[in-house]
Each structure stands twice: as structure tokens, then as C-alpha cells.
Amino acid sequence: MTEWLIALMETLGAPGAGLAIALENLFPPLPSEVILPLAGFTASRGEMDLLEVLVWTTAGSVFGALALYWVGALLGRRRTLAIAAKLPLVKVSDIEKTEAWFLKHGKKTVFFGRMIPIFRSLISIPAGVERMPLLTFTLLTTAGSLIWNTVFVLAGYYLGENWSLVEAYVGVGTNVVIGIVVLAVLVFIGVRVAERRKGRHAPRR
């Protein structure tokens, strides 16, 4: 993957880093914790301008987030509820509760969500489903992405040849997030299964 990123940046320069980040939003397996420090390291060698890297990577983040926003907008609330109604162990009330929570905390979620691995891409979809005002979504996404990108680009810039250390440390945090998500899903499934069993064994009147 590193060779592909290097070739992309050598060919397109800072716009190549922006393109890579846009793709990372759409395909989370492409990790920003690799792309951004590598771009910073490349800038430290004088092969790209640091400011251009920050501008283009932030633009790429926003472009990718907007693409997912429109996926959510096209899906819409009605289709989301219809899909939820067909899923095993999922209740429509679960989606409605999530919707109510997002309407209350959506702005903070979009802003801070841009700085959490995995969620930084996915958070754009519920924002689209709920039709968060496009200008608000774009501004919050730009601000959150700029902070995230700046931290990682500068880390690669100042670490130089040791830029890959960023991936190692952030990978630990990513694994923690994945572990929490998996645990939450298992708990959710356990609660739902228990509720169904209780309902089956409840005495009929």
C-alpha cells in the first residue's frame, strides 16, 4: 500500500494525497494514519509544500464525507426504517431512539466523529439520512478534518524517516475502538435474544 501511495503523490503531488484521503473516506480499510504521516514526511523532504498538503487532504476529507452524506440523503429516513424493520433483532424503535439522539447531539457528533477511527467515515451517512443542513455539515466536517489531518501530517513532517511510528501508536487506539464496537454489538444481541426468550416463555392470558 505504501508504494501505491508514494507513486500517487510522486505523480500528482499534494492533490494525490487529497485523492487518497477522499478514497479513505469511502473505503475505510485505506487508513488515514498511514496516508497523512506519509504525506507529511514527503513534505519534509521538500517534494510537496506542507500548506498544500494540509489544504488538499482536508479537501479530500470533505469531498469523501459529502459523497457519504448524499448516500444517506438518498437512502432517506423512510428507507432506513423499512430496512431496520426487516433486520433480525433490530427494532424500529432502536432507529427512532438513535434518530432522536442524533437530532440532539448531531453537530458535536459530526465534529468530534471526524477524529475517531472508523466513525470518521460512517458518521456522514446518518447526517445525510437526517438531512443535516448541508452548510452546517460541511463546516463541521471541514473543521474536524482539518484538526485531524494537521495533527497527523505534522507528526509525519517532524518524525521524518520514523513517520511509520504514527501508524503503530494509532493502531492501538483503532483496535480499542473496534473492541468497544464489537462488545457493544454482542451486548445488544444478547439483550435482544434474552427479550425474545422472555417473551416466548411469558404466560399467556
Side-chain angles (χ1 to χ4, degrees):
M1 179 184 294
T2 303
E3 291 77 11
W4 174 78
L5 290 171
I6 292 173
L8 185 63
M9 293 180 197
E10 286 179 347
T11 303
L12 301 178
L19 176 59
I21 286 296
L23 293 174
E24 178 263 341
N25 278 263
L26 301 174
F27 306 101
L30 291 171
S32 62
E33 55 265 31
V34 173
I35 300 170
L36 295 171
L38 178 57
F41 168 58
T42 305
S44 72
R45 298 175 60 182
E47 298 176 19
M48 294 192 297
D49 181 75
L50 180 60
L51 181 58
E52 287 185 2
V53 169
L54 293 174
V55 170
W56 278 102
T57 53
T58 300
S61 296
V62 174
F63 180 83
L66 285 172
L68 291 177
Y69 173 93
W70 286 113
V71 168
L74 291 173
L75 183 63
R77 182 175 183 274
R78 184 180 300 176
R79 288 194 183 96
T80 301
L81 292 175
I83 293 172
K86 296 177 181 179
L87 294 175
L89 304 179
V90 176
K91 298 179 180 179
V92 172
S93 60
D94 294 328
I95 304 299
E96 291 174 340
K97 289 176 183 176
T98 302
E99 178 184 38
W101 186 90
F102 189 87
L103 290 173
K104 185 176 181 180
H105 304 286
K107 292 181 180 179
K108 290 182 288 187
T109 303
V110 169
F111 176 73
F112 290 107
R114 295 302 305 174
M115 294 173 255
I116 301 176
I118 302 174
F119 290 101
R120 59 189 310 272
S121 297
L122 299 178
I123 195 60
S124 302
I125 297 177
V129 170
E130 297 302 327
R131 288 299 181 101
M132 174 181 281
L134 188 57
L135 179 59
T136 300
F137 174 79
T138 302
L139 291 176
L140 291 171
T141 298
T142 300
S145 298
L146 181 59
I147 293 172
W148 174 271
N149 293 356
T150 299
V151 168
F152 283 90
V153 169
L154 290 181
Y157 185 87
Y158 289 112
L159 283 172
E161 296 285 348
N162 297 315
W163 66 269
S164 59
L165 289 174
V166 177
E167 180 189 6
Y169 285 109
V170 176
V172 175
T174 301
N175 290 335
V176 170
V177 172
I178 293 174
I180 292 173
V181 172
V182 171
L183 179 61
V185 170
L186 291 175
V187 170
F188 174 80
I189 293 174
V191 170
R192 280 288 181 267
V193 170
E195 287 178 351
R196 287 197 173 188
R197 288 179 177 175
K198 185 177 180 181
R200 288 174 183 173
H201 293 88
R204 294 183 180 180
R205 296 182 178 180

